[in-house]
Amino acid sequence: MKTELYFDNAATTRTAAEAAEAILDMLTIHYGNPSSLHYKGLEAQTRMDKARRQVSGLLGCQPERLTFTSGATEANNLVIFGAAAARKRQGSQIITTAFEHSSVLEPCRQLEKEGFEIIWIKPDPNGRIHAEDIIEAVTEKTVLISCMMVNNELGTILPIEEIVKGVRRKKKDVFVHTDAVQALGKLPFRLSRLDVDAVSISAHKIHGPKGIGALYLREGSRILPRTFGGEQEKRLRPGTENSAYIVGFGAACELMQKNSGVYMEQIRQCNLRLRELLAENSGVVFHSPEDALPSVLNISIPGIRSEIMLHFLEQKGICVSSGSACSKGAKSHALAALGLSDLEIDSALRISFSHENTLEQVEILSNAVEEGQRTLLSQRRKGKL
Ligand code: PMP
């Protein structure tokens, strides 16, 4: 059997054993409907309450400020459509960045069709968003700003604190949302200092299960619901709660809160070593800025299409990504927003780390990239590719 070398942790992570065990317990023992009035319902409700405290503990908010969703895609949709609908009469301008995740981009595109004006702020060629570009774009008509905390393809850290401060000075009541999926547990931030209205998070990027996430909403920050039905999640997200995955999410958050420092140090060392090794290879172009979050490293090997290299590495048991997993091989809009050439975009690889990666694995990856480069370029020269 091939050794598994998993470097696609920005797409998803392995579910921690503690989270998986908690999920199994909920599915097979505490399986009651949390809304039921009997003891089985109470068992589930109590465990869900604990999970809400664990998730809010990691995020740094009051537990009742969280609404559990099926993931960050749903949280992003809920907040963007819900905030825009609640403010339709106040203005029709929305500001976002050109390299948001598709679950922010697409709702914004949809709102554009419905009459909203969307201002797309572009990153500079180094992948950085400048706070002043967003602040300058704010007008009397601006009702919503959605700006991610860490970019999922590059690891770029966006200056959210500076953005919010500047925006509030210009127009106090703009609704500000941040997609913190790639930041949670990896980039220390204090929600109380950030002064944002809403934050989206997802469990499966921090060793929790797929299909569960949450939206933080500040007290008094109103959005309209998008689905209607039961009383669950304060009617903002009706439907029987996914109590098992909520509890799994809670367990993953508790682990992250305990170990984040150690995890990030391992990730930082892996990233640093890989950068060192790849820097010796003149055929490699780095796209992630040096001050990016170390969990993501985006590179190109011009001349070798991403998919070709991806499958070469895969034969050795190595998993990397050719871009965001959600775009399934489509050209990366994030890299295009940087103004990179088609040659660089078509050959981009995203390597993303977790604390489970080791320096030994990094050496294997670097050697495999070099071998791939030699083999594939020579095949191309011979007209075989
Ligand atoms: N936002 C960002 C920045 C992401 O990286 C992802 C996951 N690729 C999402 C949102 C969507 O999260 P989920 O998979 O939980 O829907």
Side-chain angles (χ1 to χ4, degrees):
M1 208 177 80
K2 278 185 293 204
T3 331
E4 189 177 286
L5 293 157
Y6 188 74
F7 286 99
D8 199 11
N9 291 281
T12 200
T13 54
R14 183 215 299 264
T15 306
E18 290 85 340
E21 280 160 22
I23 293 167
L24 188 63
D25 247 28
M26 288 299 285
L27 291 173
T28 57
I29 303 169
H30 310 297
Y31 52 81
N33 184 324
S35 298
S36 294
L37 298 179
H38 47 67
Y39 73 97
K40 289 307 285 179
L42 188 64
E43 261 177 32
Q45 183 66 55
T46 312
R47 281 160 181 82
M48 224 170 64
D49 289 346
K50 179 181 170 197
R52 204 182 291 275
R53 289 194 298 276
Q54 288 167 317
V55 178
S56 66
L58 181 62
L59 191 58
C61 67
Q62 293 297 318
E64 61 274 16
R65 303 308 335 145
L66 292 177
T67 301
F68 287 113
T69 61
S70 63
T73 297
E74 187 190 341
N76 285 342
N77 273 264
L78 172 61
V79 71
I80 288 169
F81 286 118
R87 284 157 191 78
K88 221 163 44 195
R89 289 210 192 90
Q90 286 150 250
S92 58
Q93 192 184 68
I94 296 170
I95 302 173
T96 188
T97 76
F99 69 175
E100 292 296 311
H101 186 263
S102 52
S103 57
V104 167
L105 285 184
E106 291 302 328
C108 286
R109 281 195 190 126
Q110 184 56 36
L111 286 172
E112 202 164 32
K113 288 185 198 148
E114 294 171 18
F116 279 86
E117 180 197 0
I118 317 288
I119 312 276
W120 306 96
I121 303 296
K122 275 194 159 190
D124 72 13
N126 296 316
R128 291 194 180 83
I129 291 284
H130 297 276
E132 54 280 15
D133 290 348
I134 295 193
I135 299 162
E136 267 169 30
V138 174
T139 68
E140 264 314 297
K141 288 189 296 180
T142 313
V143 285
L144 167 65
I145 295 178
S146 182
C147 179
M148 68 201 326
M149 208 175 268
V150 171
N151 181 271
N152 50 306
E153 288 195 49
L154 292 150
T156 326
I157 301 169
L158 284 81
I160 297 294
E161 211 177 313
E162 204 185 331
I163 291 169
V164 186
K165 268 196 193 131
V167 166
R168 297 253 182 259
R169 268 199 297 271
K170 225 171 147 185
K171 193 168 186 281
K172 206 168 171 5
D173 61 348
V174 179
F175 187 100
V176 184
H177 163 247
T178 184
D179 171 343
V181 168
Q182 298 289 345
L184 185 69
K186 296 170 193 153
L187 180 72
F189 61 87
R190 296 256 296 283
L191 208 48
S192 53
R193 279 189 53 178
L194 272 188
D195 195 16
V196 292
D197 295 279
V199 182
S200 306
I201 53 175
S202 180
H204 73 104
K205 312 289 177 167
I206 58 156
H207 306 277
K210 295 157 196 60
I212 189 79
L215 178 68
Y216 155 84
L217 260 186
R218 181 162 60 185
E219 199 174 355
S221 299
R222 201 171 75 91
I223 66 169
L224 293 179
R226 310 312 299 157
T227 39
F228 300 86
E231 301 280 327
Q232 296 93 344
E233 299 299 278
K234 298 200 188 102
R235 299 182 134 206
L236 200 52
R237 209 283 188 165
T240 306
E241 301 91 339
N242 189 345
S243 48
Y245 278 18
I246 290 173
V247 167
F249 190 6
C253 285
E254 188 175 318
L255 269 180
M256 217 9 129
Q257 192 155 17
K258 266 195 212 139
N259 303 315
S260 170
V262 179
Y263 288 178
M264 279 317 286
E265 183 49 28
Q266 180 67 15
I267 289 172
R268 202 183 60 78
Q269 285 193 22
C270 286
N271 180 303
L272 209 68
R273 184 71 189 126
L274 187 62
R275 271 190 183 265
E276 266 171 22
L277 290 168
L278 293 178
E280 291 165 15
N281 180 339
S282 59
V284 174
V285 181
F286 291 90
H287 300 309
S288 297
E290 285 203 3
D291 58 0
L293 200 66
S295 45
V296 179
L297 182 61
N298 197 309
I299 60 165
S300 276
I301 303 163
I304 304 173
R305 286 214 345 266
S306 315
E307 284 72 20
I308 309 267
M309 180 58 100
L310 189 147
H311 292 306
F312 180 88
L313 295 175
E314 188 193 11
Q315 283 170 16
K316 296 179 178 295
I318 300 173
C319 302
V320 299
S321 158
S322 59
S324 154
C326 308
S327 55
K328 283 230 165 88
K331 219 187 236 0
S332 157
H333 68 275
L335 298 183
L338 258 61
L340 296 185
S341 65
D342 280 353
L343 190 70
E344 282 177 330
I345 298 175
D346 290 343
S347 58
L349 293 176
R350 180 184 67 178
I351 296 149
S352 49
F353 305 94
S354 86
H355 63 279
E356 294 184 339
N357 293 123
T358 63
L359 293 177
E360 199 188 338
Q361 288 182 355
V362 165
E363 304 251 346
I364 298 172
L365 169 63
S366 161
N367 289 337
V369 166
E370 216 179 297
E371 187 191 329
Q373 206 177 351
R374 250 183 291 117
T375 315
L376 299 169
L377 283 176
S378 118
Q379 282 179 7
R380 223 186 103 179
R381 272 193 296 273
K382 290 179 193 149
K384 289 189 192 159
L385 273 182

